[in-house]
Coordinates of all heavy atoms in Angstrom, one line a residue:
M1269 N 0.8 -1.1 0.0 CA 0.0 0.0 0.0 C 0.8 1.2 0.0 O 1.9 1.2 0.7 CB -0.9 0.0 1.2 CG -1.8 1.2 1.4 SD -3.4 1.0 1.8 CE -3.7 -0.7 1.8
Y1270 N 0.5 2.2 -0.7 CA 1.3 3.5 -0.9 C 0.4 4.7 -0.5 O -0.8 4.7 -0.8 CB 1.7 3.6 -2.4 CG 2.7 2.6 -2.9 CD1 2.3 1.4 -3.3 CD2 4.1 2.9 -2.7 CE1 3.3 0.5 -3.7 CE2 5.0 2.0 -3.1 CZ 4.6 0.7 -3.6 OH 5.5 -0.2 -4.0
V1271 N 1.0 5.6 0.1 CA 0.4 6.9 0.4 C 1.2 8.0 -0.4 O 2.4 8.1 -0.2 CB 0.4 7.2 2.0 CG1 -0.2 8.6 2.2 CG2 -0.3 6.1 2.7
G1272 N 0.4 8.7 -1.2 CA 1.0 9.8 -1.9 C 0.6 11.1 -1.2 O -0.7 11.3 -0.8
A1273 N 1.4 12.1 -1.1 CA 1.1 13.4 -0.5 C 1.6 14.5 -1.5 O 2.7 14.4 -2.1 CB 1.8 13.6 0.7
L1274 N 0.8 15.5 -1.7 CA 1.2 16.6 -2.6 C 0.9 17.9 -1.7 O -0.2 18.1 -1.2 CB 0.2 16.6 -3.8 CG 0.3 17.8 -4.8 CD1 1.6 18.0 -5.3 CD2 -0.8 17.7 -5.8
T1275 N 1.9 18.8 -1.7 CA 1.7 20.1 -1.0 C 2.0 21.2 -2.1 O 3.0 21.2 -2.7 CB 2.8 20.2 0.1 OG1 2.7 19.1 1.0 CG2 2.5 21.6 0.9
L1276 N 1.0 22.0 -2.2 CA 0.9 23.1 -3.2 C 1.0 24.5 -2.5 O 0.2 24.8 -1.6 CB -0.3 23.1 -4.1 CG -0.5 21.8 -4.7 CD1 -1.9 21.8 -5.4 CD2 0.5 21.5 -5.8
D1277 N 2.1 25.2 -2.8 CA 2.2 26.6 -2.3 C 1.7 27.5 -3.3 O 2.1 27.6 -4.5 CB 3.7 26.9 -2.0 CG 3.9 28.2 -1.3 OD1 3.0 28.7 -0.7 OD2 5.1 28.5 -1.1
I1278 N 0.7 28.3 -3.0 CA -0.1 29.1 -4.0 C -0.1 30.6 -3.6 O -0.3 31.0 -2.5 CB -1.5 28.6 -4.1 CG1 -1.5 27.1 -4.5 CG2 -2.4 29.4 -4.9 CD1 -2.8 26.4 -4.5
L1279 N 0.1 31.5 -4.7 CA -0.1 32.9 -4.5 C -1.5 33.2 -5.1 O -1.7 32.8 -6.2 CB 1.1 33.6 -5.2 CG 0.9 35.2 -5.2 CD1 1.1 35.7 -3.8 CD2 2.1 35.7 -6.1
L1280 N -2.2 33.9 -4.4 CA -3.6 34.3 -4.8 C -3.5 35.6 -5.4 O -2.7 36.4 -5.2 CB -4.6 34.3 -3.7 CG -4.7 33.0 -2.8 CD1 -5.5 33.3 -1.6 CD2 -5.3 31.9 -3.7
G1281 N -4.5 35.7 -6.5 CA -4.5 37.1 -7.2 C -5.0 38.2 -6.4 O -4.4 38.5 -5.4
E1282 N -5.9 38.9 -6.9 CA -6.4 40.2 -6.3 C -7.3 39.8 -5.1 O -8.4 39.9 -5.1 CB -7.2 41.1 -7.3 CG -6.3 41.6 -8.5 CD -5.3 42.5 -7.9 OE1 -5.7 43.3 -7.0 OE2 -4.2 42.4 -8.3
V1283 N -6.6 39.5 -3.9 CA -7.2 39.1 -2.7 C -6.8 40.1 -1.6 O -5.5 40.3 -1.5 CB -7.0 37.8 -2.3 CG1 -7.5 37.4 -0.9 CG2 -7.5 36.8 -3.3
H1284 N -7.6 40.8 -1.0 CA -7.3 41.9 0.0 C -7.6 41.5 1.4 O -7.5 42.4 2.3 CB -7.9 43.2 -0.5 CG -7.3 43.6 -1.8 ND1 -6.0 43.9 -2.2 CD2 -8.0 43.6 -3.0 CE1 -5.9 44.2 -3.3 NE2 -7.1 44.0 -4.0
S1285 N -8.3 40.4 1.7 CA -8.7 40.0 3.0 C -8.8 38.6 3.2 O -8.9 37.9 2.2 CB -10.2 40.7 3.3 OG -11.1 40.0 2.5
L1286 N -8.9 38.1 4.4 CA -9.0 36.7 4.6 C -10.3 36.1 4.1 O -10.6 35.0 3.7 CB -8.9 36.4 6.2 CG -7.5 36.4 6.7 CD1 -7.4 36.3 8.2 CD2 -6.5 35.6 6.0
K1287 N -11.4 37.0 4.2 CA -12.8 36.6 3.7 C -12.7 36.4 2.2 O -13.2 35.5 1.6 CB -13.7 37.7 4.0 CG -15.3 37.4 3.6 CD -16.2 38.4 4.0 CE -17.6 38.1 3.7 NZ -18.6 39.1 4.1
Q1288 N -12.0 37.2 1.5 CA -11.8 37.0 0.0 C -11.0 35.8 -0.3 O -11.2 35.1 -1.3 CB -11.2 38.3 -0.7 CG -12.1 39.5 -0.9 CD -11.3 40.7 -1.5 OE1 -10.2 40.9 -1.2 NE2 -12.0 41.4 -2.3
K1289 N -10.0 35.6 0.5 CA -9.2 34.4 0.4 C -10.0 33.0 0.5 O -10.0 32.2 -0.3 CB -8.1 34.4 1.5 CG -7.3 33.1 1.4 CD -6.3 33.2 2.6 CE -5.5 31.9 2.6 NZ -4.5 31.8 3.7
R1290 N -11.0 33.1 1.4 CA -11.8 31.9 1.6 C -12.7 31.7 0.4 O -13.0 30.6 0.0 CB -12.7 32.0 2.9 CG -12.0 31.8 4.2 CD -13.0 31.6 5.3 NE -13.9 32.9 5.4 CZ -13.6 33.9 6.1 NH1 -12.4 33.9 6.8 NH2 -14.4 34.8 6.3
S1291 N -13.2 32.8 -0.2 CA -13.9 32.8 -1.4 C -13.2 32.2 -2.7 O -13.8 31.8 -3.6 CB -14.6 34.1 -1.7 OG -13.7 34.9 -2.2
V1292 N -12.0 32.2 -2.6 CA -11.1 31.6 -3.6 C -10.7 30.2 -3.3 O -10.8 29.3 -4.2 CB -9.8 32.5 -3.9 CG1 -8.8 31.9 -4.9 CG2 -10.2 33.8 -4.4
V1293 N -10.2 30.0 -2.0 CA -9.7 28.6 -1.7 C -10.7 27.6 -1.6 O -10.6 26.4 -2.0 CB -8.9 28.8 -0.3 CG1 -8.5 27.4 0.1 CG2 -7.7 29.7 -0.6
R1294 N -11.9 28.0 -1.1 CA -13.0 26.9 -0.8 C -13.4 26.3 -2.1 O -13.5 25.1 -2.3 CB -14.2 27.6 -0.1 CG -13.9 27.6 1.4 CD -15.2 28.1 2.1 NE -15.0 28.3 3.5 CZ -15.8 28.8 4.2 NH1 -17.1 29.2 3.9 NH2 -15.6 28.9 5.6
P1295 N -13.7 27.1 -3.3 CA -14.0 26.5 -4.5 C -12.9 25.5 -5.0 O -13.2 24.5 -5.7 CB -14.3 27.6 -5.4 CG -14.6 28.8 -4.5 CD -13.8 28.5 -3.4
I1296 N -11.7 25.9 -4.9 CA -10.6 25.0 -5.3 C -10.7 23.7 -4.6 O -10.6 22.6 -5.2 CB -9.2 25.7 -5.1 CG1 -9.1 27.0 -6.1 CG2 -8.0 24.8 -5.3 CD1 -7.9 27.8 -5.8
V1297 N -10.7 23.7 -3.3 CA -10.8 22.5 -2.5 C -12.1 21.6 -2.7 O -11.9 20.5 -3.0 CB -10.8 22.8 -0.9 CG1 -11.1 21.6 -0.1 CG2 -9.5 23.5 -0.5
A1298 N -13.2 22.3 -3.0 CA -14.4 21.7 -3.4 C -14.3 21.0 -4.7 O -14.8 19.9 -5.0 CB -15.5 22.5 -3.3
E1299 N -13.7 21.6 -5.7 CA -13.5 21.1 -7.1 C -12.6 19.8 -7.0 O -12.9 18.9 -7.7 CB -12.9 22.1 -8.0 CG -12.6 21.6 -9.4 CD -13.8 21.4 -10.3 OE1 -15.0 21.7 -9.7 OE2 -13.6 20.9 -11.3
V1300 N -11.5 19.8 -6.3 CA -10.7 18.6 -6.1 C -11.5 17.5 -5.5 O -11.4 16.4 -6.0 CB -9.4 18.9 -5.3 CG1 -8.6 17.7 -5.1 CG2 -8.5 20.0 -6.0
Q1301 N -12.2 17.8 -4.4 CA -13.0 16.8 -3.8 C -14.1 16.2 -4.7 O -14.4 15.0 -4.7 CB -13.7 17.4 -2.5 CG -12.8 17.6 -1.4 CD -13.4 18.2 -0.3 OE1 -14.4 19.1 -0.4 NE2 -12.8 18.1 1.0
R1302 N -14.7 17.0 -5.6 CA -15.8 16.6 -6.5 C -15.0 15.7 -7.6 O -15.6 14.7 -7.9 CB -16.4 17.8 -7.0 CG -17.7 17.4 -7.9 CD -18.3 18.6 -8.5 NE -17.4 19.3 -9.6 CZ -17.1 18.8 -10.8 NH1 -17.7 17.6 -11.2 NH2 -16.4 19.3 -11.8
R1303 N -14.0 16.2 -8.2 CA -13.4 15.4 -9.3 C -12.6 14.2 -8.9 O -12.5 13.3 -9.6 CB -12.4 16.4 -10.0 CG -13.0 17.5 -10.7 CD -13.5 17.3 -12.1 NE -12.4 16.7 -13.0 CZ -11.6 17.4 -13.7 NH1 -11.6 18.6 -13.7 NH2 -10.8 16.8 -14.5
F1304 N -12.1 14.1 -7.6 CA -11.3 13.1 -7.0 C -11.8 12.7 -5.6 O -11.2 13.0 -4.6 CB -9.8 13.4 -7.0 CG -9.3 13.9 -8.3 CD1 -9.2 15.2 -8.6 CD2 -8.8 12.9 -9.3 CE1 -8.7 15.7 -9.8 CE2 -8.4 13.4 -10.5 CZ -8.3 14.7 -10.8
P1305 N -13.0 12.0 -5.6 CA -13.6 11.7 -4.3 C -12.7 10.8 -3.4 O -12.9 10.8 -2.2 CB -14.9 11.0 -4.7 CG -14.8 10.6 -6.1 CD -13.7 11.4 -6.7
G1306 N -11.7 10.2 -3.9 CA -10.9 9.2 -3.1 C -9.7 10.0 -2.4 O -8.9 9.3 -1.7
V1307 N -9.6 11.2 -2.7 CA -8.4 11.9 -2.1 C -9.0 12.8 -0.9 O -10.1 13.2 -0.7 CB -7.7 12.9 -3.1 CG1 -7.3 12.1 -4.3 CG2 -8.6 14.1 -3.5
A1308 N -7.9 13.1 0.0 CA -8.2 14.0 1.0 C -7.6 15.3 0.8 O -6.3 15.3 0.3 CB -7.6 13.5 2.4
V1309 N -8.2 16.4 0.8 CA -7.7 17.7 0.4 C -8.2 18.9 1.4 O -9.2 18.8 2.0 CB -8.1 18.1 -0.9 CG1 -9.7 18.1 -1.1 CG2 -7.5 19.4 -1.4
A1310 N -7.2 19.7 1.8 CA -7.5 20.8 2.8 C -6.4 21.9 2.6 O -5.4 21.7 2.2 CB -7.5 20.2 4.1
E1311 N -6.8 23.1 3.1 CA -5.9 24.2 3.2 C -5.1 23.8 4.5 O -5.6 23.5 5.6 CB -6.6 25.4 3.5 CG -5.7 26.6 3.5 CD -6.4 28.0 3.6 OE1 -7.6 28.0 4.0 OE2 -5.7 29.0 3.5
T1312 N -3.7 23.8 4.3 CA -2.8 23.2 5.3 C -1.8 24.3 5.8 O -1.1 24.1 6.8 CB -2.1 22.1 4.8 OG1 -1.4 22.3 3.8 CG2 -3.1 20.8 4.7
G1313 N -1.7 25.5 5.2 CA -0.7 26.4 5.6 C -1.0 27.9 5.2 O -1.9 28.0 4.4
H1314 N -0.2 28.7 5.7 CA -0.4 30.2 5.4 C -1.8 30.7 5.7 O -2.4 31.6 5.1 CB -0.1 30.5 4.0 CG 1.3 30.1 3.5 ND1 2.4 30.5 4.0 CD2 1.7 29.3 2.5 CE1 3.4 30.0 3.5 NE2 3.0 29.2 2.5
L1315 N -2.4 30.1 6.9 CA -3.7 30.5 7.2 C -4.0 31.9 7.6 O -5.1 32.4 7.5 CB -4.2 29.5 8.4 CG -4.1 28.0 8.1 CD1 -4.5 27.2 9.2 CD2 -5.0 27.6 6.9
D1316 N -3.0 32.6 8.1 CA -3.1 33.9 8.5 C -2.7 35.0 7.5 O -2.9 36.2 7.7 CB -2.3 34.3 9.8 CG -0.8 33.9 9.6 OD1 -0.5 33.2 8.7 OD2 0.0 34.3 10.5
L1317 N -2.2 34.6 6.3 CA -1.9 35.4 5.1 C -3.0 35.5 4.2 O -3.6 34.4 3.8 CB -0.6 35.0 4.4 CG 0.7 34.8 5.4 CD1 1.8 34.2 4.5 CD2 0.9 36.2 6.0
H1318 N -3.4 36.7 3.7 CA -4.5 36.7 2.7 C -4.1 36.5 1.3 O -5.0 36.2 0.5 CB -5.3 38.1 2.9 CG -4.5 39.3 2.6 ND1 -3.8 39.9 3.5 CD2 -4.5 40.0 1.4 CE1 -3.2 40.9 2.8 NE2 -3.6 41.0 1.6
R1319 N -2.8 36.6 0.9 CA -2.5 36.4 -0.5 C -1.8 35.0 -0.8 O -1.4 34.8 -1.9 CB -1.6 37.5 -1.0 CG -2.5 38.8 -1.2 CD -2.1 39.7 -2.2 NE -2.1 39.1 -3.6 CZ -1.1 39.3 -4.4 NH1 0.0 40.0 -4.1 NH2 -1.0 38.8 -5.6
R1320 N -1.6 34.3 0.2 CA -0.9 33.0 0.1 C -1.7 31.9 0.8 O -2.5 32.0 1.7 CB 0.5 33.0 0.9 CG 1.5 33.9 0.3 CD 2.3 33.3 -0.9 NE 3.0 32.1 -0.6 CZ 4.2 32.1 -0.2 NH1 4.8 33.2 0.2 NH2 4.8 30.9 0.0
T1321 N -1.6 30.7 0.3 CA -2.3 29.5 0.8 C -1.3 28.3 0.5 O -0.5 28.3 -0.4 CB -3.6 29.3 0.3 OG1 -4.2 28.3 1.2 CG2 -3.7 28.9 -1.1
E1322 N -1.6 27.3 1.3 CA -0.9 26.0 1.1 C -2.0 25.0 1.1 O -2.9 25.0 2.0 CB 0.1 25.7 2.1 CG 0.7 24.3 1.9 CD 1.7 24.0 3.0 OE1 1.3 23.5 4.0 OE2 3.0 24.5 3.0
I1323 N -2.2 24.2 0.1 CA -3.2 23.1 -0.1 C -2.5 21.8 0.0 O -1.5 21.5 -0.8 CB -4.0 23.3 -1.3 CG1 -4.8 24.6 -1.2 CG2 -4.9 22.1 -1.4 CD1 -5.7 24.9 -2.5
G1324 N -2.9 21.0 0.9 CA -2.4 19.6 0.9 C -3.4 18.6 0.4 O -4.7 18.6 0.6
I1325 N -2.8 17.5 -0.4 CA -3.6 16.5 -0.9 C -2.9 15.2 -0.5 O -1.8 15.0 -0.7 CB -3.7 16.7 -2.5 CG1 -4.4 18.0 -2.7 CG2 -4.6 15.5 -3.0 CD1 -4.5 18.4 -4.2
A1326 N -3.8 14.2 -0.2 CA -3.2 12.9 0.0 C -4.2 11.8 -0.7 O -5.3 11.9 -0.7 CB -3.1 12.6 1.6
V1327 N -3.5 10.7 -1.0 CA -4.1 9.6 -1.7 C -3.6 8.4 -1.2 O -2.4 8.3 -1.1 CB -4.2 9.8 -3.2 CG1 -2.8 9.8 -3.8 CG2 -5.3 8.8 -3.9
V1328 N -4.3 7.3 -1.1 CA -3.8 6.0 -0.7 C -4.1 5.1 -1.9 O -5.3 5.0 -2.5 CB -4.6 5.4 0.6 CG1 -4.1 4.0 0.8 CG2 -4.2 6.3 1.7
S1329 N -3.2 4.2 -2.3 CA -3.4 3.3 -3.5 C -2.6 2.1 -3.3 O -1.6 2.1 -2.6 CB -3.1 4.0 -4.7 OG -3.3 3.2 -5.8
A1330 N -2.9 1.1 -4.1 CA -2.2 -0.2 -4.1 C -0.9 0.0 -4.9 O 0.1 -0.9 -4.6 CB -3.0 -1.4 -4.6
T1331 N -0.9 0.9 -5.7 CA 0.3 1.1 -6.6 C 0.9 2.5 -6.5 O 0.2 3.4 -6.4 CB 0.0 0.8 -8.1 OG1 -0.8 1.7 -8.6 CG2 -0.4 -0.7 -8.3
A1332 N 2.3 2.5 -6.6 CA 2.8 3.9 -6.6 C 2.5 4.6 -7.9 O 2.4 5.8 -7.8 CB 4.4 3.7 -6.6
A1333 N 2.4 3.9 -9.0 CA 2.0 4.6 -10.2 C 0.7 5.3 -10.1 O 0.4 6.5 -10.6 CB 2.0 3.6 -11.5
N1334 N -0.2 4.6 -9.5 CA -1.6 5.2 -9.4 C -1.6 6.4 -8.5 O -2.2 7.5 -8.8 CB -2.6 4.2 -8.8 CG -4.1 4.7 -8.9 OD1 -4.5 5.3 -10.0 ND2 -4.8 4.7 -7.8
C1335 N -0.8 6.3 -7.4 CA -0.7 7.5 -6.5 C -0.2 8.8 -7.3 O -0.7 9.8 -7.1 CB 0.3 7.2 -5.3 SG -0.4 6.5 -3.9
G1336 N 0.9 8.5 -8.0 CA 1.5 9.5 -8.7 C 0.6 10.2 -9.8 O 0.6 11.4 -9.9
A1337 N -0.1 9.3 -10.5 CA -1.0 9.8 -11.5 C -2.1 10.6 -11.0 O -2.5 11.7 -11.5 CB -1.6 8.6 -12.3
V1338 N -2.7 10.2 -9.8 CA -3.8 11.0 -9.2 C -3.3 12.3 -8.6 O -3.9 13.4 -9.0 CB -4.5 10.2 -8.1 CG1 -5.4 11.0 -7.2 CG2 -5.2 8.8 -8.6
L1339 N -2.2 12.3 -8.1 CA -1.6 13.6 -7.5 C -1.2 14.4 -8.8 O -1.4 15.7 -8.7 CB -0.4 13.3 -6.7 CG -0.7 12.6 -5.4 CD1 0.6 12.3 -4.6 CD2 -1.7 13.4 -4.5
D1340 N -0.7 14.0 -9.9 CA -0.4 14.8 -11.0 C -1.7 15.4 -11.6 O -1.7 16.6 -11.9 CB 0.3 14.0 -12.1 CG 1.8 13.7 -11.7 OD1 2.4 14.2 -10.8 OD2 2.3 12.8 -12.4
D1341 N -2.7 14.7 -11.6 CA -4.1 15.2 -12.1 C -4.5 16.3 -11.2 O -5.0 17.2 -11.6 CB -5.1 14.0 -12.3 CG -4.8 13.1 -13.4 OD1 -4.0 13.5 -14.2 OD2 -5.4 12.0 -13.4
C1342 N -4.4 16.0 -9.9 CA -4.8 17.1 -8.9 C -4.1 18.5 -9.1 O -4.6 19.5 -9.1 CB -4.8 16.5 -7.5 SG -5.9 15.3 -7.0
E1343 N -2.7 18.2 -9.3 CA -1.9 19.3 -9.4 C -2.2 20.1 -10.7 O -2.4 21.4 -10.8 CB -0.4 19.0 -9.5 CG 0.5 20.1 -9.7 CD 1.9 19.7 -9.8 OE1 2.3 18.6 -9.5 OE2 2.8 20.5 -10.3
R1344 N -2.5 19.4 -11.8 CA -2.8 20.1 -13.1 C -4.2 20.8 -12.9 O -4.3 22.0 -13.4 CB -3.0 19.0 -14.2 CG -1.6 18.9 -14.9 CD -1.9 18.2 -16.2 NE -2.4 16.7 -16.0 CZ -1.6 15.8 -15.6 NH1 -0.3 15.9 -15.4 NH2 -2.0 14.5 -15.5
L1345 N -5.2 20.2 -12.2 CA -6.5 20.8 -12.1 C -6.3 22.2 -11.3 O -6.9 23.2 -11.8 CB -7.4 19.9 -11.2 CG -8.7 20.5 -10.9 CD1 -9.6 20.6 -12.2 CD2 -9.4 19.6 -9.9
I1346 N -5.4 22.3 -10.3 CA -5.3 23.4 -9.6 C -4.4 24.5 -10.3 O -4.6 25.8 -10.4 CB -4.6 23.2 -8.2 CG1 -5.7 22.4 -7.3 CG2 -4.3 24.5 -7.5 CD1 -5.3 21.8 -6.0
A1347 N -3.3 24.0 -10.9 CA -2.3 24.8 -11.5 C -2.8 25.7 -12.7 O -2.4 26.9 -12.9 CB -1.2 24.1 -12.0
F1348 N -3.8 25.2 -13.4 CA -4.4 26.0 -14.5 C -5.5 26.9 -14.2 O -6.1 27.5 -15.1 CB -4.7 25.0 -15.6 CG -3.5 24.3 -16.3 CD1 -3.4 23.1 -16.1 CD2 -2.6 25.1 -16.9 CE1 -2.3 22.3 -16.6 CE2 -1.5 24.5 -17.5 CZ -1.4 23.1 -17.4
R1349 N -5.7 27.1 -12.9 CA -6.8 28.1 -12.6 C -6.3 29.4 -12.7 O -5.2 29.8 -12.2 CB -7.3 27.9 -11.0 CG -8.0 26.5 -10.9 CD -8.5 26.3 -9.6 NE -9.6 27.2 -9.3 CZ -10.9 26.7 -9.3 NH1 -11.2 25.5 -9.6 NH2 -11.8 27.6 -9.0
P1350 N -7.0 30.4 -13.4 CA -6.4 31.7 -13.7 C -6.3 32.7 -12.5 O -5.6 33.6 -12.6 CB -7.5 32.3 -14.7 CG -8.8 31.6 -14.4 CD -8.3 30.2 -13.9
E1351 N -7.0 32.4 -11.5 CA -7.0 33.3 -10.3 C -5.8 33.0 -9.3 O -5.7 33.7 -8.3 CB -8.3 33.2 -9.5 CG -8.6 31.9 -8.7 CD -9.3 31.0 -9.6 OE1 -9.3 31.0 -10.8 OE2 -9.9 30.0 -9.0
I1352 N -5.0 32.1 -9.6 CA -4.0 31.7 -8.7 C -2.6 31.5 -9.5 O -2.7 31.4 -10.7 CB -4.2 30.5 -7.9 CG1 -4.3 29.2 -8.7 CG2 -5.5 30.5 -7.1 CD1 -3.2 28.2 -8.6
E1353 N -1.5 31.6 -8.8 CA -0.2 31.2 -9.3 C 0.4 30.2 -8.4 O 0.6 30.4 -7.2 CB 0.7 32.6 -9.3 CG 2.1 32.3 -9.8 CD 3.0 33.6 -9.9 OE1 2.5 34.6 -9.7 OE2 4.1 33.2 -9.9
L1354 N 0.7 29.1 -9.1 CA 1.3 28.0 -8.3 C 2.8 28.3 -8.1 O 3.5 28.3 -9.1 CB 1.1 26.6 -9.0 CG 1.6 25.3 -8.4 CD1 1.0 25.1 -7.1 CD2 1.4 24.1 -9.3
L1355 N 3.2 28.5 -6.9 CA 4.6 28.7 -6.6 C 5.6 27.5 -6.6 O 6.6 27.6 -7.0 CB 4.8 29.6 -5.3 CG 4.0 30.8 -5.4 CD1 4.1 31.6 -4.0 CD2 4.6 31.8 -6.4
S1356 N 5.0 26.4 -6.0 CA 5.7 25.1 -5.8 C 4.8 24.0 -5.6 O 3.7 24.2 -5.0 CB 6.9 25.2 -4.8 OG 6.2 25.2 -3.5
A1357 N 5.3 22.8 -5.9 CA 4.5 21.6 -5.7 C 5.4 20.5 -5.2 O 6.5 20.4 -6.0 CB 3.9 21.1 -7.0
R1358 N 5.2 20.0 -4.1 CA 6.1 19.0 -3.5 C 5.4 17.6 -3.5 O 4.3 17.5 -2.9 CB 6.5 19.4 -2.1 CG 7.5 20.6 -2.1 CD 8.0 20.9 -0.8 NE 6.9 21.2 0.3 CZ 6.3 22.4 0.3 NH1 6.6 23.5 -0.4 NH2 5.3 22.5 1.3
H1359 N 5.8 16.6 -4.1 CA 5.2 15.3 -4.2 C 6.1 14.4 -3.3 O 7.3 14.5 -3.2 CB 5.4 14.6 -5.6 CG 4.5 15.3 -6.6 ND1 3.4 14.7 -7.0 CD2 4.5 16.5 -7.2 CE1 2.7 15.4 -7.9 NE2 3.4 16.5 -8.0
R1360 N 5.3 13.5 -2.4 CA 6.0 12.6 -1.6 C 5.3 11.3 -1.7 O 4.0 11.3 -1.9 CB 5.9 13.0 -0.2 CG 6.8 14.3 0.2 CD 6.8 14.6 1.7 NE 7.5 15.9 1.9 CZ 6.7 17.0 2.1 NH1 5.4 17.0 2.1 NH2 7.3 18.2 2.3
L1361 N 5.9 10.2 -1.7 CA 5.4 8.9 -1.8 C 5.9 8.0 -0.6 O 7.1 7.9 -0.4 CB 5.7 8.3 -3.2 CG 5.1 6.9 -3.3 CD1 3.6 7.1 -3.5 CD2 5.6 6.4 -4.7
Y1362 N 5.0 7.5 0.2 CA 5.4 6.6 1.3 C 4.8 5.2 1.0 O 3.8 5.0 0.6 CB 4.7 7.1 2.5 CG 5.1 8.6 2.9 CD1 4.2 9.5 2.4 CD2 6.2 8.9 3.5 CE1 4.5 10.9 2.8 CE2 6.6 10.1 3.8 CZ 5.6 11.3 3.5 OH 5.9 12.6 3.7
N1363 N 5.7 4.2 1.3 CA 5.3 2.8 1.2 C 5.1 2.3 2.6 O 5.9 2.5 3.5 CB 6.5 2.0 0.6 CG 6.2 0.6 0.2 OD1 5.2 0.0 0.9 ND2 6.9 0.1 -0.7
E1364 N 4.0 1.5 2.8 CA 3.7 1.1 4.2 C 4.8 0.1 4.6 O 4.9 -0.1 5.9 CB 2.3 0.4 4.3 CG 2.2 -1.0 3.9 CD 0.8 -1.6 4.1 OE1 0.1 -1.0 4.8 OE2 0.7 -2.8 3.7
D1365 N 5.6 -0.5 3.8 CA 6.6 -1.4 4.2 C 7.9 -0.7 4.8 O 8.7 -1.3 5.4 CB 7.0 -2.4 3.0 CG 5.9 -3.2 2.5 OD1 5.0 -3.5 3.4 OD2 5.9 -3.5 1.4
E1366 N 8.0 0.6 4.4 CA 9.2 1.3 5.0 C 8.9 1.8 6.4 O 7.7 2.2 6.8 CB 9.4 2.5 4.1 CG 9.8 2.2 2.6 CD 9.8 3.4 1.8 OE1 9.6 4.5 2.2 OE2 10.2 3.3 0.6
D1367 N 9.8 1.8 7.2 CA 9.7 2.4 8.5 C 10.4 3.7 8.7 O 11.4 4.0 8.2 CB 10.2 1.3 9.6 CG 9.1 0.1 9.7 OD1 8.1 0.4 9.5 OD2 9.7 -0.9 10.1

């Protein structure tokens, strides 16, 4: 069993308050959940900054290839949104046999 994790560091566009930030981030998280019901997704960082956010995504699969493919698809879905700029994406893959 493999666990894949993806952390996305995102710069938001014309956002001037935490309320506006929520109105941008919530639809992104909801879209990932809708398109990929088997993944866990949440805002995981930069919670007190209004123009930055970090979104974390995790998936569990029987194969490393499937984990990678799902995380790549999630990254593409978010990266091409016009209201954000993807600053970095960090992929990690964990195998349950490793300690």
